[in-house]
């Protein structure tokens, strides 16, 4: 065989050997890189952002860059009667707010303007929000349209001495569903009728199996409704002593101290952090396509002043990125996503505005001076301010 042919025969083998050795070297570099937890988190954050932007782009193409129309006269199931909702995102025919001996209609279609001062320029230090002896406004509910999205905005003034937020469980259970103990689920309208609150809305995620386990630790009225010391998931909204609000993403900022919460709900993903859109659902532990994709949404957040909560119930399906931009636009300094899809439900002063499409295991319950909180809830708040703190019941929480 000629030297030329021998040389040509060696080249493919040398190429394959070179590629093989290069592959091994790259594999070792990648392995070393991902061996560091911070690098893994950074990669997941970047992948999540790319995924969200892709979904938002596809959603915009699908909708032809115009917001989808509001549902046309959806039926509200409440008791034995069916009441149609308006085809526009307004409150039903001037619902009446009962206040003493006078009846005052809620404003129709108020206009939302972007805050003049960007929330990013405001301080983020925890503040003690004292309940004013002078009564503030009760829970306010209005319909709005921001950035092409239509929604109900519930404003919860934490400075009002008669405003309280808590968690209601299906079938009036004492503890939330777990993999070991469950009280199942319940129709949304039944829970609305039982709690008789100013506002009742869907809460956090729960499993689809028979146990219908609630996800995330949960505290209400200074008592653990669910607890696991291994909890390391999603984002937590907590109310601490002195009405201090905090929002903590466990895998990014460390676990919150649930024992310091009078009220605590874990859900997610995080939408706004420090006044800026912040999305990293994969790093928070979210993998369900129903959460990551485009769907019905509910969100909760608070402004830099930390003196109120904004509960937003969307009419339209939208991506996490679009949801986050709306929460930022209405003035949220911190915000997170709540359960969505068929779980979305909202009732105001006993009237169901948006019926949940399935039974629920937990709901957010808000009381004000028009729809006062139970005495036990008020007493638990006073005890908490005096130093009482929640402790997991060992007879219930095994881990």
């Amino acid at each position: 065989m000629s030297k030329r042919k021998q040389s040509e025969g060696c080249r493919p083998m040398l190429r394959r050997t070179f590629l093989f050795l290069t592959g091994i070297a790259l594999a070792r570099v990648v392995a070393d890189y991902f061996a560091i937890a911070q690098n893994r988190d950074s990669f997941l954050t970047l992948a999540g952002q790319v995924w969200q932007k892709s979904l938002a782009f596809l959603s915009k193409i699908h909708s032809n860059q115009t917001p989808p129309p509001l549902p046309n006269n959806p039926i509200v199931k409440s008791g034995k009667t069916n009441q149609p909702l308006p085809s526009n995102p307004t409150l039903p025919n001037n619902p009446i707010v009962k206040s003493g001996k006078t009846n005052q209609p809620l404003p129709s279609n108020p206009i939302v303007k972007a805050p003049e001062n960007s929330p990013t320029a405001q301080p983020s230090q925890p503040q003690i929000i004292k309940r004013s002896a002078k009564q503030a406004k009760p829970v306010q509910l209005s319909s709005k349209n921001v950035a092409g999205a239509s929604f109900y905005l519930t404003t919860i003034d934490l400075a009002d001495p008669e405003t309280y937020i808590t968690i209601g469980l299906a079938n009036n259970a004492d503890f939330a569903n777990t993999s070991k103990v469950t009280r199942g689920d319940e129709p949304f309208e039944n829970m609305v009728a039982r709690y008789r609150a100013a506002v009742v809305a869907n809460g956090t995620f729960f499993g689809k199996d028979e146990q219908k386990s609630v996800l995330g630790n949960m505290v209400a009225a200074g008592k653990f409704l669910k607890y696991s010391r291994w909890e390391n998931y999603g984002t937590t909204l907590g109310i601490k002593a002195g009405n201090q609000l905090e929002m903590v993403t466990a895998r990014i900022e460390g676990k919150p101290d649930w024992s310091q919460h009078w009220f605590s709900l874990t859900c997610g993903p995080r939408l706004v952090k420090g006044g800026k859109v912040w999305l990293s659902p994969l790093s928070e532990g979210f993998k369900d396509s129903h959460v990551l994709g485009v769907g019905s949404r509910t969100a909760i957040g608070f402004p830099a002043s930390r003196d109120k909560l904004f509960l937003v119930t969307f009419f339209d399906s939208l991506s996490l990125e679009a949801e986050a931009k709306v929460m930022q636009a209405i003035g949220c300094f911190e915000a997170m996503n709540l359960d969505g899809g068929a779980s979305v439900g909202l009732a105001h002063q006993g009237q169901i505005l948006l019926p949940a499409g399935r039974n629920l295991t937990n709901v957010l319950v808000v009381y004000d001076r028009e729809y006062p909180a139970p005495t036990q809830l008020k007493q638990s708040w006073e005890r908490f301010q005096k130093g009482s703190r929640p402790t997991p019941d060992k007879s219930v929480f095994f881990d």
Side-chain angles (χ1 to χ4, degrees):
M1 182 182 294
S2 67
K3 292 183 179 180
R4 183 176 180 180
K5 290 184 178 180
Q6 287 180 349
S7 177
E8 291 176 352
C10 289
R11 287 177 182 174
M13 183 179 296
L14 291 172
R15 254 195 318 266
R16 286 194 293 269
T17 303
F18 173 76
L19 292 174
F20 177 73
L21 294 175
T22 302
I24 292 177
L26 287 174
R28 292 191 62 178
V29 171
V30 171
D32 291 341
Y33 178 83
F34 285 107
I36 301 174
Q38 184 177 359
N39 292 340
R40 292 197 300 270
D41 291 340
S42 299
F43 176 79
L44 289 173
T45 299
L46 178 61
Q49 292 173 348
V50 171
W51 175 252
Q52 287 299 317
K53 288 184 180 298
S54 300
L55 288 175
F57 179 72
L58 292 174
S59 175
K60 186 176 292 186
I61 293 178
H62 178 72
S63 62
N64 197 26
Q65 298 185 347
T66 57
L70 295 176
N72 188 20
N73 291 332
I75 298 300
V76 176
K77 296 181 180 180
S78 178
K80 297 182 181 180
T81 63
N82 292 329
Q83 302 175 352
L85 281 177
S87 58
N88 295 319
T90 57
L91 294 176
N93 296 327
N94 292 330
I96 301 300
V97 178
K98 299 179 180 179
S99 176
K101 297 181 180 180
T102 62
N103 293 329
Q104 301 175 350
L106 284 176
S108 177
N109 286 335
I111 299 175
V112 176
K113 295 183 179 180
E116 294 180 2
N117 297 323
S118 171
T120 58
Q122 301 184 36
S124 61
Q125 297 299 322
Q127 301 178 36
I128 295 178
I129 306 302
K130 295 182 179 180
R131 290 177 177 263
S132 173
K134 182 179 179 181
Q135 290 183 342
K137 294 180 179 179
V139 172
Q140 302 291 300
L141 189 145
S142 56
S143 59
K144 297 185 180 292
N145 186 292
V146 175
S150 300
F151 53 88
Y152 282 125
L153 172 63
T154 303
T155 303
I156 305 164
D157 186 354
L158 297 179
D160 191 300
E162 298 299 325
T163 298
Y164 296 89
I165 182 170
T166 187
I167 298 170
L169 298 178
N171 302 306
N172 209 22
D174 291 327
F175 299 99
N177 297 339
T178 68
S179 59
K180 299 171 183 176
V181 180
T182 182
R183 290 287 298 274
D185 53 20
E186 186 179 13
F188 180 63
E189 54 265 32
N190 289 6
M191 302 172 85
V192 171
R194 179 169 66 249
Y195 291 113
R196 299 184 179 184
V199 168
V200 179
N202 56 287
T204 190
F205 300 110
F206 56 93
K208 299 178 181 179
D209 56 1
E210 292 183 0
Q211 292 295 108
K212 293 181 170 53
S213 301
V214 172
L215 304 181
N217 287 346
M218 185 180 285
V219 179
K223 169 188 172 183
F224 273 104
L225 302 186
K226 184 181 178 184
Y227 175 77
S228 171
R229 59 178 173 171
W230 309 113
E231 183 62 54
N232 187 27
Y233 163 86
T235 296
T236 297
L237 168 67
I239 300 180
K240 303 168 70 175
N243 251 351
Q244 293 182 64
L245 287 171
E246 73 171 9
M247 190 168 286
V248 181
T249 300
R251 298 185 185 182
I252 304 299
E253 301 166 299
K255 295 182 182 181
D257 186 354
W258 289 281
S259 68
Q260 297 302 310
H261 290 166
W262 180 76
F263 167 91
S264 187
L265 185 71
T266 299
C267 201
R270 185 80 162 258
L271 300 172
V272 178
K273 187 174 186 292
K276 298 180 181 179
V277 171
W278 192 93
L279 289 167
S280 185
L282 297 178
S283 66
E284 290 190 51
F286 292 99
K287 299 178 181 178
D288 191 333
S289 59
H290 294 92
V291 177
L292 301 178
V294 174
S296 301
R297 304 282 185 188
T298 305
I300 194 166
F302 53 84
S305 59
R306 297 174 186 260
D307 58 349
K308 58 179 68 73
L309 287 168
F310 297 137
L311 175 66
V312 176
T313 308
F314 290 92
F315 288 87
D316 312 315
S317 295
L318 67 169
S319 68
L320 286 171
E321 184 176 24
E323 181 186 26
K325 289 180 178 179
V326 171
M327 297 303 286
Q328 181 191 42
I330 66 173
C332 284
F333 191 75
E334 307 286 348
M336 73 178 188
N337 179 64
L338 295 177
D339 195 6
S343 294
V344 173
L346 179 66
H348 178 242
Q349 298 183 344
Q351 182 176 6
I352 297 179
L353 305 181
L354 293 175
R358 62 181 173 193
N359 290 355
L360 302 182
T361 64
N362 67 99
V363 290
L364 288 175
V365 181
V366 185
Y367 295 100
D368 61 12
R369 68 173 181 267
E370 305 296 340
Y371 288 76
T375 301
Q376 290 182 344
L377 185 62
K378 295 180 179 180
Q379 290 175 344
S380 74
W381 171 259
E382 295 299 329
R383 289 194 300 269
F384 187 81
Q385 302 311 307
K386 295 177 181 178
S388 175
R389 295 293 180 267
T391 302
D393 188 335
K394 294 182 179 179
S395 66
V396 177
F397 306 113
F398 302 94
D399 60 351

